[in-house]
């Protein structure tokens, strides 16, 4: 097994960790993987503010107090091993492709170069995890391999790890929320292609998947724009770049199963956008089908519960 393949396997089956937490702009979500008990605690005095280029923990004392309180609420006060989810504003996820002709020894350098181009960070400031996903079609008609990269500013990542270690926690996985939400598609082998639509901190992200593995990711800020219009823009981009996204439009239409997290759109609005772009109505996955009482409950717990599901 290559080094590039290990992250994805670790993501699918990390060392058993009972304690899971998701850091969000609003507060922290705690989940006990065994009991499935959860708790949410809001930040006070702007203790945590997501950002890619600046330290996220603004008030270390309050940050620690809020995390301790939430951990006690679900009986995890004594746990040391943790998996943590971070906001999309803190950690970015991208799917990239590399030509098969690239010598294998040069693949890590090419991945790092692409991460520099995508983030604007110099190599010395990049903290990254990488997973090899499968074959890819290249724009010039050749073949290649797809990789999922999750990127953080190195100083931001090290600072966040240090703040968690100060609590005597041993943070294992440190993952973007979007990646963990996509783990719901690991539930069985789907016959349809898959689409995750997720809204976080006024940003709309869409991930396309096949058999639970990412094909492409793209995000746009909402920033006052109509959510349906922004969703259509993203879907049209995927259609126009179908080959690079791993999609086949030979029949003129595609059918997806779609999971929406915190999207400010009704299911019929999402269905209409997808059908208008790809020619067929999707199969919408409703929160109650996944065991949640409401869309609000699912939106809050989708990431940590998705990671818990993958570790069972």
């Amino acid at each position: 097994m290559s080094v590039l393949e290990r992250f994805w396997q670790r993501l699918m089956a990390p060392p058993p960790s009972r304690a899971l937490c998701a850091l969000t702009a609003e507060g922290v979500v705690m989940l006990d993987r065994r009991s499935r008990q959860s708790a949410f605690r809001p930040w006070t005095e702007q203790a945590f503010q997501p950002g890619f280029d600046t330290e996220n923990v603004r008030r270390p004392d309050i940050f620690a107090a809020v995390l301790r309180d939430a951990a006690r609420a679900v009986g995890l006060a004594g746990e040391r091993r943790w998996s943590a989810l971070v906001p999309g504003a803190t950690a970015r996820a991208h799917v990239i492709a590399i030509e098969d002709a690239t010598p294998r020894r040069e693949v890590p350098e090419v991945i790092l170069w692409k991460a520099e181009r995508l983030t604007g960070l110099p190599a010395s400031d990049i903290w990254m995890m990488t997973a090899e996903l499968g074959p890819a079609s290249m724009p010039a008609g050749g073949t290649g391999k797809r990789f999922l990269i999750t990127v953080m500013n190195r100083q931001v990542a090290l600072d966040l790890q240090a703040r968690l270690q100060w609590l005597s926690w041993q943070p294992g996985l440190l993952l973007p929320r979007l990646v963990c939400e996509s783990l719901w598609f690991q539930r069985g082998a789907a016959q349809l292609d898959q689409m995750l639509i997720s809204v976080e901190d006024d940003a709309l992200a869409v991930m396309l998947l096949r058999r639970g593995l990412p094909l492409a990711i793209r995000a746009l800020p909402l920033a006052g724009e109509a959510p349906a219009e922004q969703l259509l823009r993203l879907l049209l981009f995927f259609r126009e770049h179908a080959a690079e996204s791993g999609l086949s439009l030979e029949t003129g239409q595609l059918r997806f199963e779609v999971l929406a997290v915190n999207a400010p759109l009704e299911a019929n609005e999402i269905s209409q956008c997808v059908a208008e772009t790809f020619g067929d109505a999707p199969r919408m996955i409703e929160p109650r089908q996944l065991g949640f009482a409401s869309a609000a409950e699912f939106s809050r717990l989708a990431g940590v519960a998705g990671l818990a599901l993958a570790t069972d």
Side-chain angles (χ1 to χ4, degrees):
M1 180 187 301
S2 73
V3 172
L4 296 171
E5 292 170 323
R6 288 175 189 161
F7 164 65
W8 190 259
Q9 185 183 59
R10 189 181 178 208
L11 178 58
M12 296 300 102
S17 174
R18 177 184 175 185
L20 309 175
C21 75
L23 306 174
T24 74
E26 294 78 28
V28 62
V29 179
M30 294 283 179
L31 179 71
D32 183 332
R33 185 175 63 84
R34 296 176 188 170
S35 69
R36 290 300 195 266
Q37 286 188 312
S38 64
F40 170 78
R41 293 292 185 271
W43 304 121
T44 57
E45 299 186 39
Q46 298 182 318
F48 180 85
Q49 295 182 35
F52 190 70
D53 297 314
T54 58
E55 292 185 1
N56 288 201
V57 180
R58 303 298 179 87
R59 292 291 306 271
D61 53 340
I62 297 175
F63 177 80
V66 172
L67 263 62
R68 285 196 186 101
D69 182 42
R72 283 194 297 267
V74 290
L76 294 173
E79 289 297 311
R80 294 293 177 261
R81 298 175 61 196
W82 286 78
S83 297
L85 282 62
V86 295
T90 299
R92 299 175 184 174
H94 302 276
V95 175
I96 61 173
I98 297 178
E99 293 181 353
D100 282 335
T102 304
R104 192 161 187 83
R105 67 180 180 279
E106 296 179 12
V107 168
E109 295 179 15
V110 175
I111 291 175
L112 185 57
W113 175 77
K114 285 180 175 279
E116 288 181 277
R117 294 282 300 272
L118 287 165
T119 63
L121 293 174
S124 59
D125 290 346
I126 289 177
W127 185 92
M128 178 171 60
M129 291 187 290
T130 309
E132 187 172 326
L133 299 173
S137 299
M138 305 303 291
T143 59
K145 289 186 175 62
R146 284 181 298 110
F147 297 86
L148 174 72
I149 61 173
T150 63
V151 185
M152 293 179 66
N153 181 300
R154 180 178 296 277
Q155 189 54 51
V156 172
L158 293 177
D159 177 72
L160 188 52
Q161 286 185 324
R163 300 302 180 189
L164 295 174
Q165 288 168 349
W166 189 75
L167 290 164
S168 297
W169 293 6
Q170 299 173 15
L173 292 171
L174 195 63
L175 296 168
R177 193 186 87 175
L178 184 75
V179 171
C180 295
E181 290 171 350
S182 75
L183 296 177
W184 284 101
F185 288 117
Q186 296 294 316
R187 294 164 57 93
Q191 296 180 347
L192 304 177
D193 284 333
Q194 300 152 325
M195 181 185 299
L196 171 65
I197 299 171
S198 182
V199 173
E200 182 183 10
D201 299 336
D202 205 35
L204 169 67
V206 175
M207 179 189 291
L208 303 184
L209 307 95
R210 179 167 294 146
R211 294 185 294 276
L213 296 180
L215 291 173
I217 304 170
R218 193 165 176 83
L220 283 176
L222 288 175
E225 298 288 335
E229 292 181 7
Q230 291 295 70
L231 177 58
L232 271 174
R233 286 192 181 96
L234 288 174
L235 298 182
L236 287 170
F237 175 88
F238 287 130
R239 183 178 176 85
E240 291 167 4
H241 298 81
E244 299 99 298
S245 300
L247 302 175
S248 174
L249 291 173
E250 294 177 0
T251 63
Q253 62 183 40
L254 287 170
R255 188 161 188 241
F256 292 89
E257 61 174 355
V258 174
L259 178 64
V261 181
N262 200 37
L265 293 165
E266 298 294 332
N268 64 322
E269 293 178 286
I270 295 173
S271 182
Q272 183 178 345
C273 289
V274 176
E276 183 177 328
T277 307
F278 293 107
D280 205 344
R283 184 174 76 84
M284 300 297 298
I285 302 174
E286 299 294 337
R288 64 178 180 276
Q289 295 174 253
L290 304 177
F292 293 88
S294 67
E297 180 190 28
F298 179 63
S299 293
R300 178 164 288 178
L301 294 172
V304 287
L307 184 56
L309 182 74
T311 60
D312 285 344

